[in-house]
C-alpha cells in the first residue's frame, strides 16, 4: 500500500528557533496514527507544519501532492481537516454556522443537509444546540464541535490536536469512541496528537514517539505498548 | 545598543554641527531648522505617551495650541517676557494634560485616540469662541524677541539658539526620565499593565503623569513656536497639526528618543520636497512618501537604524541563516 | 412641536449618512483593528466619480449604481495594493498608511476636479412633503429610505449568505478561518470593498446638502467616528444606531441651544464622545474584549 502522507526530514522554525529537527514518517490510508511526546517535543508543530502554519524545510507529500508550496487554505482543499489546539471555535457564531464554515473548503459540492445529518448522528448534543452561540458551549461540547466541524469537510485526513485536553474522562472516552467510528465508517485517516498516552495507544494502530523535535521510536501500538521505556515514561506503571 | 561612549560622541558631533548652522545658513533655512527642533520637542512628548506608555493620542496639536496661546496671550495682553511664558506654558499644559489623562485612564487604544482626536478638532473652535482673549480667527500678532546683552545675533539666530537650548535640556531630562526607574514603570504598563501593577507600579498615577509630562513637552514646543512665528491663529492648530505630529512620531520611530528628531526632520522637509516634485498635487506626493516609508521601515527610522546596527554586529560575530520572520513584533525599546 | 419633529427628521437624515460611514469604519476595524482614516476621502472621491458620470449625461440612478460598483472595486484594489504590504506591521504604521491615503485622495481630487464647490443633484423632488402641519424635505426622507435600504441589504447579506458568514468568520477568528479554507486576505479585501460602497452612498446622499468639494467628508467622518464610538466599535448595529443618534442630537442641540449654533459643533461632538466613553468606555452596545495576559 502506498503512503497517504509522507513526511521526510521535516524541519520547522518559529522565527530563528528550530522546533523540528528532521522528522520523517509516513502514514497509510485508512489508519489511525498517533504522535506521543512530552510538552515541547514538537507534536503540535508537526500538525501545524502539515497545515502550512509554520515555516518549514524538508518535504511533505500528501497523496502524491507536495504540500510545501501551498498555503493553509489550499491544504484544506486537498481534504486535510485540522481540529487545532484550543479547538479554534468561532465563539460569536452559532453551532450551525460553525459547521457550515467547516464545509467551506470542500471540493465536492452536494447538499450540506447530508453532512449535518451525519455529524449530528455522531454528536446528538450538537443538534440540540444548533442555534446556540458556540461560545456558550461547554468545553467538551466545543471539542465535539471542533471534530464535527472538521468532519464537515468530508476529509481524507483528519489532524487532531489533543482532543482530550481539559475534559472530563467520561467525555474523553465518548469522543474517542466516536473517532474510532469515524475512522471505521467513513475510512477517514486520522493523525492524532495526544498527551494521554494510554487512550491514544488504545485507539491508534501506529505510534510515533517525538522527543525534542526528533522521532525517537516508532512502531505498531501493540508493540510499543509493551516497551518498557514507553510504559514507564508515558503510561506510568 | 550603542555603547555609552559611542552615543556621547554622536550626540556631541550633532551638537557641534547644530551650533555651526546659524553662521552658514540663510535666515529662512535657519527658521526651518528652528521649526524642526520645535517639532522634535513636541514629538518627543507624543512619543513618551504613545511609544513608551502605549496610549494613543491623535490630538497632541491641542496641547501645542494651548502652549502657543498661553505664551501669546501672556506676551500680548500682559507684556510678559517670552522667556517666562515658556515654563508657564509647560506647567499649565502639564496640569491640563494630567486632568485630561485622568478620565482618559478609562479609555484604551482606539477610544482614547478618538477622544484626543476630537479634542484636536474642538480646540480651534474653542479658541475662536473666546475672541476677547485670543483675537478670534484673526489671531494675535506678536513681535520677534531680539538677542539680549547686545549679542551680535539677529532675531532668527537668537531664537534658533534658544530653541536648541530648550531642546537639549528637555531631551536630556526626557532621556534620564525614560531610561530610569520611572521609564521602566511606564514601559512596563504599556507591555503588561496587570503584571506592572502586581509589581507595585501605580498604573493609574503613572499613566496620568505620563499624559501630563507629554502634554507639557508639546506645550513648551507650542510656546516656542509662538515666538518663532511671531503669530498665532486658531487655524494653524487644526487637526492636521495633530496628525502631522503623529506622523513624525511613527516615521521617526516610536519608543525612541532619537526618533523624535528624525521624525521632526521628516515632517518639516518632506512636504517641501513634495512641493518641488509636483506643484499640482504636493500632498499626493507626500501621501505616497508616507506609504512608501511605512513599507520600507515599518518601525520608523530609528527602528530601521537599530535593525541595521544589530545586523551589522551579528554578521561580524557569526553567519546566521537569514530568516524572513526576524522582524520584531513589538517596536524595539530604548534609543 | 412641528419644529421639533422637523428637526428630528432632518437629524435622522444626516444621521443616516453618519451611520453608513460609521458602519464602514466599524467593518474594517473589526476585521483588522485599524481605523481607516481615508474612509471619508474615498467616499468623497466616489462622489466625484458619480458627478463626472452625471456630467457625461448618465441618468441619475445609472450613475448611482455605476459609482457603487466602481467604489466596491476601488475598495478592493486599495486593500490589495496599498494595505496588504503592511498587514503585519504595527497598528500605528497601518494607521499612518491610511493617513497617507487620506491626503492622496484629497489632493488628487483637488487636482482633477479643482477646489471649486460644485452643486450636486438630488434624485428626489424639491417640493417638500406635507404631513399634517409639518413639512419635510423630500431629500431628507429619500436619504433616510436609501440608507435604510442599504443597511437592510447588508444585514441580509451577512446574516444569510455563505460569503457573508465567511466574512464574519474571517473578521472574528482569522486563524480558524484559514483552517477551514477561507481566504482571509480576500475576505478583508471584500470588506474594504463593501465599506467603500457604504461610503459612496453616504457621499452621494450628503453632497446635495453640502455641495461637492474635496473636503466634503471631513466633518462627516468626525461625526461618523462619534457615532461609531457611541454605539461601540465592536458592534456594527450599535455603530449604525450611534450614527443616527449623533445626527439627531447634533441637530437638536444646534436648534435649541442658542450659544452653540454652528460654531461649536465639533465641540459638541467632543463632549458627547467624552461623556459616553466615561460612562461606558466600550460604547453603548460594545463588548469589552477580554485579553489574555
Amino acid at each position: 500500500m502506498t503512503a497517504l502522507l509522507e513526511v521526510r526530514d521535516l524541519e520547522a522554525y518559529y522565527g530563528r528557533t528550530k522546533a523540528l529537527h528532521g522528522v520523517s514518517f509516513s502514514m497509510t490510508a485508512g489508519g489511525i496514527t498517533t504522535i506521543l511526546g512530552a510538552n515541547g517535543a514538537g507534536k503540535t508543530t508537526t500538525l501545524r507544519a502539515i497545515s502550512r502554519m509554520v515555516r518549514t524545510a524538508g518535504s511533505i507529500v500528501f497523496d502524491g501532492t507536495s504540500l510545501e508550496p501551498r498555503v493553509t487554505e489550499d491544504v484544506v482543499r486537498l481534504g486535510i481537516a485540522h481540529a487545532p489546539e484550543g479547538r479554534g471555535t468561532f465563539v460569536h457564531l452559532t453551532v450551525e454556522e460553525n459547521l457550515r464554515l467547516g464545509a467551506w473548503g470542500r471540493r465536492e459540492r452536494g447538499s450540506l443537509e447530508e453532512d449535518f445529518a451525519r455529524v449530528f448522528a455522531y454528536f446528538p448534543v450538537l443538534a440540540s444546540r444548533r442555534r446556540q452561540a458556540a461560545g456558550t458551549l461547554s468545553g467538551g461540547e466545543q471539542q465535539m464541535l471542533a471534530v464535527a466541524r472538521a468532519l464537515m469537510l468530508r476529509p481524507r485526513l483528519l489532524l487532531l490536536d489533543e482532543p482530550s485536553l481539559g475534559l472530563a474522562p467520561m467525555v474523553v472516552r465518548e469522543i474517542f469512541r466516536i473517532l474510532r467510528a469515524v475512522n471505521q465508517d467513513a475510512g477517514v485517516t486520522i493523525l492524532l496528537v495526544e498527551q494521554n498516552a494510554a487512550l491514544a495507544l488504545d485507539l491508534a494502530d501506529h505510534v510515533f514517539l517525538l522527543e525534542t523535535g526528533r522521532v525517537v521510536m516508532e512502531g505498531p501500538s501493540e508493540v510499543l505498548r509493551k516497551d518498557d521505556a514507553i510504559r514507564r515514561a508515558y503510561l506510568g506503571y | 545598543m550603542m555603547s555609552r561612549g559611542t552615543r556621547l560622541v554622536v550626540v556631541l558631533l550633532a551638537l557641534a554641527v547644530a551650533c555651526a548652522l546659524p553662521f552658514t545658513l540663510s535666515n529662512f533655512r535657519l527658521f526651518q531648522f528652528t521649526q524642526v527642533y520645535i517639532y522634535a520637542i513636541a514629538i518627543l512628548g507624543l512619543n513618551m505617551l504613545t511609544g513608551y506608555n502605549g496610549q494613543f493620542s491623535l490630538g497632541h496639536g491641542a496641547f501645542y495650541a494651548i502652549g502657543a496661546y498661553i505664551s501669546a496671550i501672556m506676551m500680548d495682553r500682559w507684556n510678559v517676557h517670552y522667556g517666562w511664558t515658556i515654563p508657564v506654558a509647560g506647567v499649565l499644559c502639564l496640569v491640563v494634560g494630567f486632568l485630561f489623562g485622568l478620565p482618559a485612564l478609562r479609555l484604551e487604544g482606539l477610544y482614547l485616540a478618538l477622544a484626543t482626536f476630537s479634542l484636536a478638532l474642538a480646540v480651534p473652535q474653542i479658541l475662536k469662541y473666546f475672541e476677547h482673549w485670543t483675537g478670534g480667527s484673526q489671531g494675535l500678532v506678536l513681535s520677534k524677541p531680539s538677542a539680549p546683552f547686545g549679542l551680535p545675533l539677529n532675531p532668527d539666530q537668537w531664537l534658533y539658539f534658544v530653541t536648541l537650548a530648550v531642546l537639549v535640556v528637555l531631551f536630556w531630562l526626557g532621556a534620564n526620565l525614560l531610561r530610569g526607574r520611572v521609564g521602566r514603570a511606564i514601559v512596563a504598563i504599556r507591555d503588561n499593565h496587570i503584571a506592572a501593577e502586581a509589581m507595585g507600579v501605580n498604573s493609574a498615577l503613572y499613566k496620568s503623569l505620563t499624559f501630563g509630562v507629554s502634554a507639557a513637552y508639546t506645550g513648551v514646543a507650542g510656546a516656542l513656536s509662538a515666538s518663532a512665528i511671531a503669530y498665532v491663529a486658531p487655524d494653524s492648530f487644526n487637526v492636521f497639526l495633530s496628525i502631522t505630529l503623529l506622523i513624525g512620531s511613527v516615521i521617526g520611530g516610536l519608543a525612541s528618543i532619537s526618533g523624535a528628531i528624525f521624525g521632526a526632520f521628516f515632517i518639516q522637509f518632506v512636504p517641501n520636497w513634495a512641493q518641488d516634485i509636483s506643484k499640482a498635487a504636493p500632498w499626493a506626493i507626500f501621501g505616497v512618501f508616507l506609504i512608501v516609508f511605512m513599507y520600507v521601515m515599518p518601525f520608523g527610522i530609528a527602528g530601521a537604524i537599530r535593525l541595521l546596527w544589530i545586523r551589522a554586529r551579528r554578521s561580524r560575530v557569526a553567519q546566521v541563516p537569514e530568516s524572513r520572520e526576524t522582524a520584531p513584533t513589538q517596536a524595539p525599546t530604548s534609543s | 412641536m412641528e419644529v421639533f419633529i422637523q428637526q428630528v427628521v432632518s437629524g435622522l437624515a444626516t444621521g443616516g449618512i453618519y451611520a453608513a460611514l460609521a458602519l464602514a469604519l466599524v467593518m474594517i476595524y473589526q476585521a483588522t483593528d485599524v481605523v481607516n482614516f481615508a474612509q471619508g476621502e474615498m467616499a468623497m472621491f466616489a462622489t466625484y466619480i458619480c458627478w463626472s458620470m452625471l456630467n457625461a449625461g448618465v441618468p441619475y440612478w445609472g450613475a448611482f449604481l455605476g459609482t457603487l460598483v466602481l467604489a466596491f472595486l476601488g475598495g478592493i484594489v486599495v486593500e490589495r495594493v496599498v494595505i496588504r504590504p503592511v498587514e503585519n506591521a504595527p497598528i500605528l504604521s497601518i494607521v499612518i498608511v491610511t493617513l497617507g491615503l487620506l491626503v492622496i485622495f484629497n489632493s488628487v481630487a483637488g487636482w482633477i476636479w479643482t477646489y471649486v464647490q460644485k452643486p450636486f443633484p438630488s434624485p428626489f423632488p424639491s417640493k417638500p412633503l406635507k404631513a399634517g402641519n409639518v413639512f419635510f424635505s423630500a431629500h431628507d426622507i429619500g436619504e433616510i429610505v436609501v440608507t435604510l435600504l442599504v443597511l437592510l441589504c447588508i444585514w441580509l447579506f451577512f446574516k444569510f449568505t455563505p460569503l457573508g458568514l465567511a466574512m464574519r468568520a474571517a473578521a472574528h477568528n482569522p486563524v480558524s478561518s484559514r483552517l477551514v479554507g477561507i481566504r482571509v486576505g480576500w475576505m478583508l479585501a471584500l470588506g474594504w470593498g463593501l465599506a467603500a460602497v457604504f461610503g459612496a452612498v453616504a457621499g452621494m446622499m450628503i453632497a446635495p446638502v453640502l455641495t461637492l468639494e474635496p473636503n466634503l467628508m471631513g466633518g462627516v467622518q468626525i461625526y461618523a467616528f462619534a457615532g461609531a464610538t457611541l454605539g461601540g466599535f465592536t458592534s456594527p448595529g450599535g455603530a449604525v444606531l450611534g450614527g443616527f443618534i449623533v445626527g439627531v442630537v447634533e441637530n437638536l442641540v444646534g436648534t435649541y441651544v442658542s450659544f452653540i449654533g454652528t460654531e461649536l459643533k465639533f465641540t459638541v461632538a467632543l463632549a458627547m464622545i467624552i461623556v459616553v466613553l466615561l460612562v461606558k468606555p466600550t460604547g453603548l452596545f460594545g463588548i469589552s474584549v477580554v485579553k489574555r495576559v
Side-chain angles (χ1 to χ4, degrees), chain A residues 12 41 48 64 66 71 104 109 114 133 167:
Chain A
R48 289 168 60 92
S66 181
V71 292
W104 180 265
R109 281 299 146 201
E114 224 172 274
L167 302 184

Side-chain angles (χ1 to χ4, degrees), chain B residues 87-296:
Chain B
V88 172
V91 171
L92 283 178
C93 280
L94 182 85
V95 175
V96 174
F98 183 78
L99 291 179
F100 192 84
L102 280 179
L105 276 177
R106 300 188 43 142
L107 308 179
E108 267 193 36
L110 179 71
Y111 296 97
L112 179 61
L114 292 181
T116 50
F117 188 60
S118 26
L119 180 70
L121 285 164
V123 160
Q125 295 194 325
I126 295 172
L127 287 174
K128 281 181 202 165
Y129 196 78
F130 293 100
E131 210 170 342
H132 171 69
W133 293 98
T134 62
S137 40
Q138 301 300 311
L140 299 170
V141 179
L142 310 164
S143 53
K144 263 193 186 178
S146 48
F149 322 121
L151 286 172
L153 296 170
N154 66 35
D156 283 316
Q157 288 171 324
W158 170 241
L159 260 172
Y160 175 90
F161 279 114
V162 170
T163 311
L164 183 60
V166 174
L167 172 101
V168 169
V169 171
L170 287 184
F171 269 63
W172 180 74
L173 282 176
N176 276 314
L177 186 79
L178 292 171
R179 296 208 177 109
R181 196 167 169 271
V182 176
R184 282 197 298 278
I186 289 173
V187 172
I189 290 168
R190 174 194 74 188
D191 290 343
N192 190 334
H193 71 101
I194 294 173
E197 282 189 33
M199 288 188 295
V201 174
N202 183 341
S203 122
L205 180 68
Y206 272 107
K207 278 173 102 168
S208 319
L209 266 181
T210 312
F211 220 114
V213 173
S214 163
Y217 268 64
T218 309
V220 166
L224 283 166
S225 86
S227 289
I229 301 174
Y231 175 59
V232 290
D235 289 327
S236 44
F237 305 111
N238 60 18
V239 71
F240 280 102
L241 174 66
S242 299
I243 290 177
T244 306
L245 292 178
L246 180 72
I247 289 171
S249 175
V250 178
I251 291 270
L254 285 168
S256 113
I257 293 168
S258 56
I261 295 179
F262 300 136
F265 271 101
F266 185 94
I267 60 177
Q268 174 64 30
F269 288 111
V270 172
N272 291 352
W273 291 338
Q275 191 110 39
D276 290 342
I277 293 171
S278 161
K279 288 266 179 300
W283 287 102
I285 303 290
F286 181 67
V288 172
F289 268 138
L290 270 186
I291 292 173
V292 170
F293 234 85
M294 288 289 88
Y295 286 179
V296 182

Side-chain angles (χ1 to χ4, degrees), chain C residues 127-145:
Chain C
K127 208 170 129 248
L129 302 175
K130 188 165 178 276
N133 291 328
V134 196
F135 289 91
F136 300 111
S137 126
H139 182 78
D140 279 359
I141 304 292
E143 230 176 292
I144 297 175
V145 171

Side-chain angles (χ1 to χ4, degrees), chain A residues 13-16 54-55, chain B residues 314 320-321 323 325-326:
Chain A
Y13 300 85
Y14 292 104
R16 280 174 187 278
V54 284
R55 205 165 53 85
Chain B
R314 204 173 266 164
V320 190
S323 126
E325 279 145 76
T326 45

Side-chain angles (χ1 to χ4, degrees), chain A residues 3-44:
Chain A
L4 181 69
L5 183 75
E6 180 89 42
V7 173
R8 282 282 157 265
D9 304 320
L10 183 65
E11 298 180 354
Y13 300 85
Y14 292 104
R16 280 174 187 278
T17 318
K18 207 173 183 181
L20 295 182
H21 304 264
V23 168
S24 301
F25 65 92
S26 68
M27 288 173 62
T28 49
I32 300 183
T33 304
T34 188
I35 304 178
L36 294 182
N39 275 335
K43 306 186 300 287
T44 295

Side-chain angles (χ1 to χ4, degrees), chain C residues 1 7 15 38 58 62 77 88 92 123 128 132 177 203 210-211 218 223 230 258 263 275:
Chain C
M1 192 60 202
Q7 289 303 326
V58 182
V77 169
N88 296 322
L92 269 182
S177 297
L210 299 178
T211 75
Y223 284 107
L230 187 71
S258 58
E263 282 169 44
V275 168

Side-chain angles (χ1 to χ4, degrees), chain B residues 309 311-319:
Chain B
W309 183 261
R311 216 163 269 172
R313 282 180 36 157
R314 204 173 266 164
S315 66
R316 253 183 298 164
V317 178
Q319 217 62 44

